[in-house]
Amino acid sequence: MKDYLRFLRRCFRISFVGDWRYYLWMFLLSVVALFGLNAYSQQLVHGLQTTGMTDQVSWGLYIANFTYLVGMAAAAVMLVIPVYIYKNKDLHDLVIFGELFAVASILMCLLFVTVDLGRPDRFIHLFLRFNWPISMLTWDVLVLNGYLLLNLHICGYLIYCAYRRTRPGKWFYIPFVFVAIFWAISIHTVTAFLYSGLGSRPLWNSAVLAPRFLASAFSAGPAFLVLALQVIRRFSDYKVPDGALQMLRKIITVALSINMFLLGSEMFTEFYTQAEHSASAQYLFFGLAGKHALVPWIWTAIGMNSLALVLLFFPISKSLKWLNLSCALMIVGIWIEKGMGLIVPAFIPSPLGEMVEYKPTTNEILVSLGIWAFGLLVFTILVRITIPVLSGRLTIDSVHPAELPNAFSTKTFN
Amino acid sequence: MSGEQKMNRRSFLRGSLGAAGGMAAVAAALTPLKDLDLSEMTVDHFLQKHYKEMSPKEIDQVIERISKEVEERYDLRPELKDVKPMDGVEFTYLLNLGRCIGCRKCVHACVAENNQSRSPEIQYIRVLEMPRGSVNLEHSNHHYGDKKVPSKDHFYMPVQCHQCDNPPCVKVCPVEATWKEDDGIVVIDYDWCIGCRYCEAACPYWARRFNFAEPEIPKKDLNPKMGYLSNRPRHKGVMEKCHFCLHRTREGKLPACLEVCPVGARKFGNINDPNSEVVQILKTKRIFILKQEVGTKPRFFYYFDEDYGFGD
Ligand code: SF4
Ligand code: SF4
């Protein structure tokens, strides 16, 4: 116990140590997070009128980000499956970063749901009268928190073992890893059911929604990790083999192809039948009744994702430069497709046929950016702690250079 | 002082400066909170139970507290009651599409009766103007002017909460803040709702309204005859909607929207009473259920007079 507290203390200390680039990055993130906090304070005082949401479009940017991030969290399994089921060696030492990212993503998810509540002070009511199993939202609360705990346990256990220089006991984490694989799929499936279970919203009320969610998550999530791993490789001496990145490239290619295919199928059903209920899709892709705020968004997203896919199909994407470009494209492309392209248009037109468009306010955007900054801050710190521990420099019986008194002036960030 | 000690002091100083700076920045970011309205964040509010879990005595206490709060805010002592459903009664609402002239008197009577926010404006009833021929919501006009109604080529369709017998809004609520009562009315506990708006996304009739801001009602316009689950004043951040004026109808009166209707297009009654007018109409007239395909089994029906040639 004493050892553990000391471990936590050392972790805390080391997260404040790094070179100037580290400080700059952390400083910028903190500033954005504080702006977000300030904007959220405004929202608490004045209510959700500080957002662009209305009775017609009653969910917006917050829930869009939430949906996207559930996918990012679920995507960690795309590292876990190759390693634990297919015994891939290259990815083995990198799985933990996927899980750390999952932890950060779930934190962001929970924050996004919280800021979306009209009465966050009544949060406790969830514990007092929990409408489970009827309400899909209660399922979501359960699986998200469960997933957070699972990942915290797996990462925390592995890191602490490395710190103590002991071999992790298989029974203490392997079963959890396998549970987490199914759990990851479940979090995104349940989140899809949250929407697809609503008969009032034809755009969501479709069986391919859950597969679409998974496919898009398994492209954007690993794409983010491709970029993050390269940053880690650049700024630390942690080994990230090229083979690992190429493995992720293959996963992304398959997932993105499936995603585009499902999107295509969805579009076909919506438009070929020309049914009345495709009004939302009509609005999204082509505009309806003179309103077309989302049209540029969705076509940008489709353009970005298609370009990313084309790049991936060509061998040039084996070079990291092109791989990075396609990753960046799809991280943004899928964010748009799932957020502005899926959450918002389901509300337009309203169930009574009214056309009211949605535009997020500055305050709403600031809150969202703040949560993202906070999430990245958490992720950075987790990675910052993990690297020296896993590479054996921060252990129970060692002193890490970064902990030396003159650490602030050294250039070590590893 | 040795070099190492010096270093130690320096990093300590830096550390505390950083911590102080960080704290100041957080405090600065939180400054808007000084305007936060804390009147609803007392221990009493925090400990208040779910409506269904309160004993009659506890409900009385809460009613007393709420009455005081209303009095403080509006300088008017409300008659706040918790009216229960009547035994064996299930309400049904019928609307004669052939009669309605789209004057929106019901909309405004509802606002006045049910203490809806005047700013921002909240209305439970939405009247749609549609070209004669068929019910097509995509071609409905929500914002026609009041002046020249009824227009010859149009008919009017008021929509409000249909008090579904299979209500999706109730299903999705994560905290059971909304439920169906024995007389079929779907109600909301305004003190329990967490404001997630899932129910608003789930309702196929766009019947729910959310308080995006603190509701404003001029003091002189407050209706002091209040029901606990109906028209008592709400606060920002919670959901509300039509409740068939349950504080009136459970005491044998008619809904405010019905009373004000100048053409008698609205009929209300007990579907379990075979002699009631609503049962007679349901048996003899052509009935239309809006969005029947979503399967929520509304208690609100539209009907046509025999002589009203609908569809020509
Ligand atoms: S009309 Fe909407 S709010 Fe009313 S009971 Fe049905 S689903 Fe619920
Ligand atoms: S907004 Fe309130 S009533 Fe509606 S689902 Fe959420 S908690 Fe329940």
Side-chain angles (χ1 to χ4, degrees), chain B residues 173-175 177-178 193-199 208 239:
Chain B
C173 178
V175 294
T178 181
C193 170
I194 57 173
C196 67
R197 305 186 301 293
Y198 197 8
C199 54
R208 297 203 157 223
M239 200 55 76

Side-chain angles (χ1 to χ4, degrees), chain A residues 55 58 116 119 131 135 194, chain B residues 40 143 172-173 197-198 200:
Chain A
D55 276 320
S58 48
D116 190 61
R119 295 299 305 251
N131 189 9
S135 168
L194 198 88
Chain B
E40 256 214 302
H143 304 286
V172 300
C173 178
R197 305 186 301 293
Y198 197 8
E200 194 166 33

Side-chain angles (χ1 to χ4, degrees), chain A residues 23 34-35 37-51 53-60 62-63 116-126 128-132 134-138 193-195 198-201 204 276-277 279 288 347 349-356 405-406 408-409, chain B residues 4 7-8 10-11 14-15 22 25-26 28-36 40-41 46 48 50 52-53 122 126 128 136-138 140 142-143 159 170-176 189-198 200-206 208-214 235-238 290-291 294:
Chain A
Y23 282 123
L34 285 173
F35 269 102
L37 187 63
N38 182 264
Y40 184 55
S41 310
Q42 296 282 1
Q43 181 185 309
L44 277 179
V45 172
H46 301 290
L48 283 158
Q49 60 173 327
T50 53
T51 70
M53 291 184 275
T54 52
D55 276 320
Q56 286 83 1
V57 185
S58 48
W59 280 341
Y62 297 155
I63 296 297
D116 190 61
L117 293 183
R119 295 299 305 251
D121 54 314
R122 293 183 182 162
F123 194 75
I124 187 87
H125 292 179
L126 269 174
L128 302 176
R129 262 191 106 92
F130 199 53
N131 189 9
W132 186 84
I134 305 294
S135 168
M136 275 298 132
L137 203 53
T138 59
F193 287 172
L194 198 88
Y195 307 111
L198 300 182
S200 54
R201 308 280 164 188
W204 291 339
E276 192 65 61
H277 74 240
L288 187 67
F347 292 95
S350 82
L352 296 185
E354 191 181 5
M355 296 292 297
V356 175
N406 58 351
F408 285 111
S409 50
Chain B
E4 193 170 305
M7 284 293 203
N8 247 332
R10 237 181 72 194
S11 61
R14 274 212 207 181
V26 171
L30 290 173
T31 41
L33 291 184
K34 67 183 190 307
D35 296 327
L36 195 64
E40 256 214 302
M41 300 206 185
F46 199 65
Q48 184 177 329
H50 186 276
K52 289 196 199 168
E53 278 168 16
I122 288 188
R126 182 51 74 87
L128 313 183
N136 185 338
L137 296 176
E138 307 298 343
S140 63
H142 290 237
H143 304 286
V159 185
V170 169
K171 254 198 256 177
V172 300
C173 178
V175 294
E176 295 175 12
D189 182 347
Y190 309 120
D191 294 333
W192 199 259
C193 170
I194 57 173
C196 67
R197 305 186 301 293
Y198 197 8
E200 194 166 33
C203 172
Y205 299 101
W206 193 62
R208 297 203 157 223
R209 298 293 181 274
F210 184 71
N211 286 283
F212 284 91
E214 185 63 26
H235 287 283
K236 74 165 183 282
V238 300
L290 184 61
K291 296 198 181 198
V294 294

Side-chain angles (χ1 to χ4, degrees), chain A residues 91-153:
Chain A
L91 282 172
H92 188 274
D93 293 336
L94 304 175
V95 169
I96 196 134
F97 296 111
E99 281 160 351
L100 292 176
F101 184 58
V103 169
S105 304
I106 296 279
L107 276 181
M108 289 188 260
C109 288
L110 296 175
L111 286 176
F112 271 115
V113 181
T114 309
V115 297
D116 190 61
L117 293 183
R119 295 299 305 251
D121 54 314
R122 293 183 182 162
F123 194 75
I124 187 87
H125 292 179
L126 269 174
F127 299 96
L128 302 176
R129 262 191 106 92
F130 199 53
N131 189 9
W132 186 84
I134 305 294
S135 168
M136 275 298 132
L137 203 53
T138 59
W139 279 89
D140 225 17
V141 170
L142 286 181
V143 293
L144 286 179
N145 283 295
Y147 192 65
L148 180 61
L149 292 180
L150 270 176
N151 278 298
L152 278 177
H153 167 75

Side-chain angles (χ1 to χ4, degrees), chain B residues 6 27 32 74 80 83 102 109 149-150 189 230 236 247 280 291 303:
Chain B
K6 236 191 220 156
Y74 296 95
L80 176 56
V83 206
V149 291
D189 182 347
S230 58
K236 74 165 183 282
H247 52 283
Q280 291 313 312
K291 296 198 181 198
Y303 71 102

Side-chain angles (χ1 to χ4, degrees), chain B residues 160-164 167-170 186 202-205 207-208 241 296:
Chain B
Q160 60 208 75
C161 175
H162 278 36
Q163 317 294 354
C164 309
C169 55
V170 169
V186 173
C203 172
Y205 299 101
R208 297 203 157 223
K241 67 167 191 71
T296 63

